[in-house]
Amino acid sequence: MEEEQRARQWFLAVWTIVTVVKIAIASRLPLFVDEAFYWQEGQHLAAAYSDLPGLTAWLTRLGTEFGGHHVLAVRAPFLLLAGVLPWLVARSAAHWFGAAVGWQAALLTVLMPLSGTLGLLALPDVPMAVATVLCADAGARLLRDVDAMSATELALGLMLGALSHYRFVGVIGVGLIALLWLPEGRKVLRDARVWVALAVGLLAWAPLLAWNLEYADAGLRFQLLDRHPWAFHGDGARFLLVQAALVTPLLFWAMLVVCLRGLRGSEDAGTAWRYFALLGAISTLGFFLIGFFADNERVSFHWPLPGYLALLMVVPLLLRTWSPARRKASWGIAGIGAALMLGYYVVVSLPGLRTQMAGSKYYPENFAGWDTLAAEVRKAQAGLPEGTVLLADSFKTGAELGFALGDAEIPTLDHPLNRKHGRAPQLRLWGLEHDGKRSVPTLLVVAATDVKFSALLAHYQQLCAVVGPLPPAEVVNIDHGARRFLLFALPKEPAGGECMTPVVANIDVPEAGATVGRRFSVGGWAVKDVVGVTKVEVLMDGRVVAEATDASANEWLTVFLKGASRDPRMPRVQFNVELDAGALPAGRHWLGLRLTGGDGSVETWAEQPVVVR
């Protein structure tokens, strides 16, 4: 009883603190790109969508209907579901292993970074996690006795999961394998009430299946074929390291031990113990193996979460067998991991702290700069003719700008990102995929940093082919250019003549983050189709400190740009200048460029950090 009371108090205290912190973060954290698109889907209510079943979009719409147009309102239903999740884990674990274990499992659910941060973002993983716990609990109850309540809980979980994500098919498959593995499970599958529950769950897939039948299996093809190479690659080897970091090392080790005992059928494990362990073992092993063949470009570290939630119900039993020091270390490291993950979101939500990450690989570009961009777009629109329409270059820009401006109808050009993320069919269905032709003045917003640097010039040239010659761009650099947008005020009809692309440039020397002396060399290159770059000014912290006067040949650049540059000076586009930083205080400074084209246009290039000794 004392252990139960202590576990309950710890859970209530930590759950309350974490929930309050998550609400505070969620109210300030800019929308992630996927969240913005789910909001846009919620403004176009439908039974299913090209990328997901309907539930995620419905929840965003529900939140904004009750909470207004605010990021917290978008996330509110997901925060609520995430808050309920540990209580469901506690209920299930307590039913089999006692109340103390139930509260400990719930506490681990809050502390494990992957599950503890659920709800901060409006993502389908949140309702899918709740569905997973409902199904896992229902399956365990059915192993003891098949009754109407357990079958109803199973049907509810299956319905919720089917409306959440395509990946829930894997959860269903893992559950069936686990039941078939156990003699008691095979008996359960012979009961008609269980098949009625499965049939109800199957019906919940009907809207998604109907959408795919109507639109040539576009969603299924993306989820199963287009996004996955289905060819062996070595990235799957990182699974153990990544998961150990995100779950926390000792907790991950405990889960692996539980998995091993479940597969072996240890004598000290009861039926429910083995069932939960098998769910986690089959899921974790499955995702480890799939990782060698599946998509390795998009985020997938959260995929094994359903299996971990099942394992968490058993892990407290294992922790009891460990030494007190090791047990305390497990809890402590899990708490540190949760604090670090929440701390990351705090940094991302505060512009001043986020800016410090600019120039590093940890910069959260999908969260950054949308409010600033929206303000610049409004300012640009105020100076343009009445009736000017807004046009985005990709679904990312269209959805994020749409939320910031309160407009879910911003048309979008065809873009590789639209297809890469499975959003192109949905944009076409809404009539928001724009072919570039126009009869009214148009403000085109282009996210330059959404394109690989090596493909940036080709992307600009493709824009020229789609919308015609580009006028000089208004550059919006956010966080020192870590996010870079270009605004093009396109006339009513395409102008004649050749298309002068925006500048493409790079600072080769010094490297970003390098430590330099008081005098150091700055070298790089800059190209601009048709007219070239006539002036290169070097900036330190936004002030001009030098001007490059000579240009030399850069033969390598011809290969890098695949011969695509139509800069008349090619290959003499390399600049070098000696910089005197004697007047600057020691420390971190930002090195940048201001580039003047042969047409008189001026662009400020992205900055990179250097440390002056």
Side-chain angles (χ1 to χ4, degrees), residues 369-384 390 401 404-405 443-446 473-479 483-489:
W370 300 111
D371 288 342
T372 302
L373 175 63
E376 294 297 325
V377 167
R378 290 191 186 96
K379 187 187 302 182
Q381 287 176 315
L384 294 174
L390 190 59
L401 261 184
L405 299 174
L443 179 62
L444 171 62
V445 183
V446 174
E474 179 184 339
V475 180
V476 181
N477 284 323
I478 296 166
D479 294 338
R483 287 291 282 158
R484 195 164 188 269
F485 297 91
L486 305 178
L487 310 185
F488 297 97

Coordinates of all heavy atoms in Angstrom, one line a residue, residues 369-384 390 401 404-405 443-446 473-479 483-489:
G369 N 10.0 31.3 -38.5 CA 9.9 32.4 -39.4 C 8.5 32.7 -40.1 O 8.4 33.6 -40.8
W370 N 7.5 31.9 -39.8 CA 6.3 32.0 -40.5 C 5.5 33.3 -40.2 O 5.0 34.0 -41.1 CB 5.4 30.8 -40.3 CG 6.0 29.5 -40.7 CD1 6.5 28.5 -39.9 CD2 6.4 29.1 -42.1 NE1 7.1 27.5 -40.7 CE2 7.0 27.9 -42.0 CE3 6.2 29.7 -43.3 CZ2 7.5 27.2 -43.1 CZ3 6.6 29.1 -44.5 CH2 7.2 27.8 -44.3
D371 N 5.6 33.7 -38.9 CA 4.9 35.0 -38.6 C 5.6 36.2 -39.2 O 5.0 37.1 -39.7 CB 4.9 35.2 -37.0 CG 3.9 34.2 -36.4 OD1 3.0 33.7 -37.1 OD2 4.0 34.0 -35.2
T372 N 7.0 36.1 -39.2 CA 7.7 37.2 -39.9 C 7.4 37.2 -41.3 O 7.2 38.3 -41.9 CB 9.3 36.9 -39.6 OG1 9.5 36.9 -38.3 CG2 10.1 38.0 -40.3
L373 N 7.4 36.1 -42.0 CA 7.1 36.0 -43.4 C 5.7 36.6 -43.7 O 5.5 37.4 -44.6 CB 7.2 34.6 -43.9 CG 6.7 34.4 -45.4 CD1 7.6 35.1 -46.3 CD2 6.7 32.9 -45.7
A374 N 4.7 36.2 -42.8 CA 3.3 36.7 -43.0 C 3.3 38.2 -42.9 O 2.6 38.9 -43.7 CB 2.4 36.1 -42.0
A375 N 4.1 38.8 -42.0 CA 4.1 40.3 -41.8 C 4.7 40.9 -43.1 O 4.2 42.0 -43.5 CB 4.9 40.6 -40.6
E376 N 5.7 40.3 -43.6 CA 6.3 40.9 -44.8 C 5.4 40.7 -46.0 O 5.4 41.6 -46.9 CB 7.7 40.2 -45.1 CG 8.8 40.4 -44.1 CD 9.1 41.9 -44.0 OE1 9.1 42.6 -45.1 OE2 9.4 42.4 -42.9
V377 N 4.7 39.7 -46.1 CA 3.7 39.5 -47.2 C 2.6 40.5 -47.1 O 2.2 41.1 -48.1 CB 3.1 38.0 -47.1 CG1 1.9 37.9 -48.0 CG2 4.2 37.0 -47.6
R378 N 2.1 40.8 -45.9 CA 1.1 41.8 -45.7 C 1.6 43.1 -46.2 O 0.9 43.9 -46.8 CB 0.6 41.8 -44.3 CG -0.2 40.7 -43.8 CD -0.8 41.0 -42.4 NE -1.5 39.8 -41.9 CZ -0.9 39.0 -41.0 NH1 0.3 39.2 -40.6 NH2 -1.6 38.0 -40.5
K379 N 2.8 43.4 -45.8 CA 3.4 44.7 -46.2 C 3.6 44.8 -47.7 O 3.3 45.9 -48.3 CB 4.8 44.9 -45.5 CG 5.4 46.2 -45.7 CD 6.9 46.2 -45.1 CE 6.9 45.9 -43.7 NZ 8.3 45.9 -43.2
A380 N 4.0 43.7 -48.3 CA 4.1 43.7 -49.8 C 2.8 43.9 -50.4 O 2.6 44.6 -51.4 CB 4.8 42.5 -50.2
Q381 N 1.8 43.2 -49.9 CA 0.4 43.3 -50.5 C -0.1 44.7 -50.4 O -0.8 45.1 -51.4 CB -0.5 42.3 -49.8 CG -0.3 40.9 -50.1 CD -1.2 39.9 -49.3 OE1 -1.3 40.1 -48.1 NE2 -1.8 38.9 -50.0
A382 N 0.2 45.4 -49.4 CA -0.3 46.8 -49.2 C 0.2 47.7 -50.3 O -0.5 48.7 -50.6 CB 0.1 47.3 -47.8
G383 N 1.3 47.4 -50.9 CA 1.9 48.3 -51.9 C 1.6 47.8 -53.3 O 2.1 48.4 -54.3
L384 N 0.8 46.7 -53.5 CA 0.5 46.2 -54.8 C -0.9 46.5 -55.2 O -1.7 46.9 -54.4 CB 0.7 44.6 -54.7 CG 2.1 44.1 -54.5 CD1 2.1 42.6 -54.3 CD2 3.0 44.5 -55.7
L390 N -2.3 35.9 -54.0 CA -1.2 35.4 -53.4 C -0.9 34.0 -53.9 O -1.9 33.2 -54.1 CB -1.4 35.3 -51.9 CG -0.2 34.9 -51.0 CD1 1.0 35.9 -51.2 CD2 -0.6 34.9 -49.5
L401 N 1.6 29.9 -44.5 CA 1.1 31.2 -44.7 C -0.4 31.3 -44.6 O -0.9 32.3 -44.1 CB 1.5 31.7 -46.1 CG 2.7 32.6 -46.3 CD1 2.9 33.0 -47.8 CD2 2.7 33.8 -45.4
A404 N -1.1 31.6 -40.9 CA -0.7 32.9 -40.4 C -1.6 34.0 -40.9 O -1.9 35.0 -40.2 CB 0.8 33.2 -40.8
L405 N -2.1 33.9 -42.1 CA -3.0 34.9 -42.7 C -4.5 34.6 -42.5 O -5.3 35.4 -42.9 CB -2.7 35.1 -44.2 CG -1.2 35.5 -44.5 CD1 -1.0 35.5 -46.0 CD2 -1.0 36.9 -43.9
L443 N 1.4 37.9 -56.2 CA 2.6 37.9 -55.4 C 3.0 36.5 -55.1 O 2.3 35.7 -54.4 CB 2.3 38.6 -54.0 CG 3.4 38.7 -53.0 CD1 4.6 39.5 -53.6 CD2 2.9 39.3 -51.7
L444 N 4.1 36.1 -55.7 CA 4.6 34.8 -55.6 C 5.6 34.7 -54.4 O 6.6 35.5 -54.3 CB 5.4 34.3 -56.8 CG 6.1 33.0 -56.8 CD1 5.2 31.8 -56.5 CD2 6.9 32.8 -58.1
V445 N 5.4 33.7 -53.5 CA 6.3 33.6 -52.3 C 7.0 32.3 -52.5 O 6.4 31.2 -52.6 CB 5.4 33.5 -51.0 CG1 6.4 33.4 -49.8 CG2 4.6 34.7 -50.9
V446 N 8.4 32.4 -52.5 CA 9.2 31.2 -52.7 C 10.1 31.0 -51.5 O 10.8 31.9 -51.0 CB 10.1 31.5 -54.0 CG1 11.1 30.3 -54.2 CG2 9.2 31.6 -55.2
A473 N 13.6 40.3 -56.7 CA 13.0 39.7 -55.6 C 13.1 40.6 -54.3 O 14.2 41.2 -54.2 CB 13.5 38.3 -55.3
E474 N 12.1 40.6 -53.5 CA 12.3 41.2 -52.2 C 12.7 40.0 -51.3 O 11.9 39.0 -51.2 CB 11.0 41.8 -51.7 CG 11.1 42.4 -50.3 CD 9.7 42.9 -49.8 OE1 8.8 43.2 -50.6 OE2 9.6 43.0 -48.5
V475 N 13.8 40.1 -50.6 CA 14.4 39.0 -49.9 C 13.9 39.1 -48.4 O 14.0 40.2 -47.8 CB 15.9 39.0 -50.0 CG1 16.5 37.8 -49.1 CG2 16.4 38.9 -51.4
V476 N 13.5 38.0 -47.9 CA 13.1 38.0 -46.4 C 14.1 36.9 -45.8 O 13.9 35.7 -46.0 CB 11.7 37.6 -46.2 CG1 11.3 37.5 -44.7 CG2 10.7 38.5 -46.9
N477 N 15.1 37.4 -45.1 CA 16.0 36.6 -44.4 C 15.5 36.5 -42.9 O 15.4 37.5 -42.2 CB 17.4 37.1 -44.4 CG 18.1 36.9 -45.8 OD1 17.9 35.9 -46.4 ND2 18.8 37.8 -46.2
I478 N 15.4 35.2 -42.4 CA 14.9 35.0 -41.1 C 16.0 34.2 -40.3 O 16.6 33.3 -40.9 CB 13.6 34.2 -41.1 CG1 12.5 35.1 -41.7 CG2 13.2 33.8 -39.7 CD1 11.2 34.3 -42.1
D479 N 16.3 34.7 -39.1 CA 17.4 34.1 -38.3 C 18.7 34.0 -39.2 O 19.2 32.9 -39.4 CB 16.9 32.7 -37.9 CG 15.8 32.7 -36.9 OD1 15.6 33.8 -36.2 OD2 15.1 31.7 -36.7
R483 N 16.4 30.6 -42.7 CA 15.2 30.5 -43.5 C 15.2 31.7 -44.4 O 15.3 32.9 -43.9 CB 13.9 30.5 -42.6 CG 13.8 29.2 -41.8 CD 13.4 28.1 -42.7 NE 12.0 28.0 -43.2 CZ 11.6 27.4 -44.2 NH1 12.4 26.8 -45.0 NH2 10.3 27.4 -44.5
R484 N 15.0 31.5 -45.7 CA 15.2 32.5 -46.7 C 14.0 32.4 -47.7 O 13.8 31.4 -48.3 CB 16.5 32.4 -47.4 CG 16.9 33.6 -48.2 CD 18.4 33.5 -48.5 NE 18.9 34.7 -49.1 CZ 18.9 35.0 -50.4 NH1 18.5 34.0 -51.3 NH2 19.4 36.1 -50.9
F485 N 13.3 33.5 -47.8 CA 12.1 33.6 -48.7 C 12.3 34.7 -49.7 O 12.9 35.8 -49.4 CB 10.8 33.8 -47.9 CG 10.5 32.7 -46.9 CD1 10.9 32.8 -45.6 CD2 9.7 31.7 -47.4 CE1 10.6 31.8 -44.7 CE2 9.4 30.6 -46.5 CZ 9.8 30.7 -45.2
L486 N 11.8 34.5 -50.9 CA 11.8 35.6 -51.9 C 10.4 35.9 -52.3 O 9.6 35.0 -52.5 CB 12.6 35.0 -53.1 CG 14.0 34.5 -52.9 CD1 14.6 34.0 -54.2 CD2 14.9 35.6 -52.3
L487 N 10.1 37.2 -52.4 CA 8.7 37.7 -52.8 C 8.9 38.3 -54.2 O 9.7 39.2 -54.4 CB 8.2 38.7 -51.8 CG 8.2 38.3 -50.3 CD1 7.5 39.4 -49.5 CD2 7.5 37.0 -50.1
F488 N 8.1 37.8 -55.1 CA 8.1 38.3 -56.5 C 6.8 38.9 -56.8 O 5.7 38.2 -56.8 CB 8.4 37.2 -57.5 CG 9.7 36.5 -57.3 CD1 9.8 35.3 -56.6 CD2 10.9 37.0 -57.9 CE1 11.1 34.7 -56.5 CE2 12.1 36.4 -57.8 CZ 12.2 35.2 -57.1
A489 N 6.8 40.2 -57.1 CA 5.5 40.9 -57.5 C 5.4 40.7 -59.0 O 5.9 41.5 -59.8 CB 5.6 42.4 -57.2

